[in-house]
DNA sequence: ATGTGATCATGT
DNA sequence: ACATGATCACAT
């Protein structure tokens, strides 16, 4: 099995991404000696890891951009036959303590979303995983409108957290960015700020991009 | 437990 | 049909 080197320039990365467009996951998996699972029930991150490997992402599971030297984050996104995202997009875990002084500008969310390489993948469950096609890659950075929406949602959500109101926060908050559980299961716990300002235990949360938002990003690529 | 990669599956 | 809350695998 070959280990692709990490691309040295954005052009090199994009050329590689364009080169795999149109291939099926099965074809790509075979070229890397990966075994394609029957379904993704127990292999939820398989597609992302396959594409990471093909493009030479350094990542691992460290809290860094996939292509640190290029400042680019890689995200595969499952789409239906019309090109509409099937799932929300995970961004990062949410900080629940020691958040005094944290601003949008210094947040992990804003840093991760500065530049994203989106790789659409056919995700309809009636298509066998091995036959799902890889789509045209999109290099995206938020425009002013998108940035304003993201910042507004982030600030609203973080205010709830800072005020110890995390129990009142649901995925319904936020126009484009939402907070949802992110952990092994509902019994996972982490520290958070309680209503009285002290510490309590809660389920770890993650920031996710809502579907209409990512849908508009994908659409924008065809302007 | 935390963070990476995400999708599953149930209720509405 | 759809989004929310829950869940899976793996590395550290």
């Amino acid at each position: 099995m070959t280990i692709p080197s990490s691309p040295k320039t954005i052009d090199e990365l994009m050329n590689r991404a364009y080169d795999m467009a149109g291939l099926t996951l099965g074809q790509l998996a075979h070229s890397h000696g990966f075994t394609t699972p029957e379904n993704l029930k127990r292999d939820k991150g398989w597609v992302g890891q396959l594409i990471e490997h093909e493009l030479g992402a350094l990542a691992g599971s460290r809290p860094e951009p996939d292509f640190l030297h290029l400042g680019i984050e890689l995200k595969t996104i499952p789409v239906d036959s019309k090109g509409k995202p099937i799932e929300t997009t995970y961004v990062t875990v949410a900080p629940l303590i020691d958040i005094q002084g944290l601003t949008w500008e210094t947040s992990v969310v804003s840093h991760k979303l500065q530049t994203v390489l989106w790789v659409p993948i056919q995700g309809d469950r009636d298509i066998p995983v091995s036959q799902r096609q890889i789509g045209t890659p999109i290099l995206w950075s938020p425009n002013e409108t998108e940035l304003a929406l993201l910042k507004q949602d982030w600030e609203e959500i973080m205010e709830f957290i800072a005020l110890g109101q995390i129990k009142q926060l649901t995925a319904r908050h936020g126009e484009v960015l939402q907070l949802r559980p992110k952990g092994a299961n509902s019994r996972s716990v982490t520290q958070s700020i309680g209503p009285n300002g002290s510490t309590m235990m809660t389920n770890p949360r993650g920031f996710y991009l809502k579907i209409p938002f990512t849908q508009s990003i994908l659409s924008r690529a065809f302007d």
Side-chain angles (χ1 to χ4, degrees), chain A residues 76-88:
Chain A
T76 61
I77 183 167
V79 296
D80 66 16
S81 57
K82 298 174 183 172
K84 178 188 172 183
I86 292 173
E87 297 286 345
T88 53

Side-chain angles (χ1 to χ4, degrees), chain A residues 94-171:
Chain A
L96 304 182
I97 55 168
D98 298 332
I99 57 177
Q100 71 286 356
L102 186 58
T103 64
W104 164 251
E105 285 73 22
T106 58
S107 71
V108 176
V109 174
S110 85
H111 290 158
K112 286 222 176 193
L113 297 183
Q114 275 182 11
T115 308
V116 178
L117 176 57
W118 298 97
V119 179
I121 310 281
Q122 285 185 331
D124 280 326
R125 290 189 208 176
D126 57 8
I127 304 175
V129 176
S130 69
Q131 292 177 31
R132 295 182 191 175
Q133 251 176 335
I134 299 165
T136 304
I138 298 166
L139 190 63
W140 168 84
S141 287
N143 61 29
E144 280 190 27
T145 304
E146 292 166 336
L147 214 48
L149 288 168
L150 289 165
K151 178 180 180 184
Q152 180 179 319
D153 285 350
W154 183 88
E155 290 179 341
E156 177 188 329
I157 290 169
M158 289 310 297
E159 183 167 359
F160 268 81
I161 293 173
L163 294 175
Q165 300 301 311
I166 194 169
K167 281 184 176 172
Q168 328 311 325
L169 263 179
T170 73

Side-chain angles (χ1 to χ4, degrees), chain A residues 66-84:
Chain A
D66 296 297
F67 301 98
L68 186 60
H69 54 307
L70 298 178
I72 294 176
E73 177 76 13
L74 172 66
K75 295 241 165 265
T76 61
I77 183 167
V79 296
D80 66 16
S81 57
K82 298 174 183 172
K84 178 188 172 183

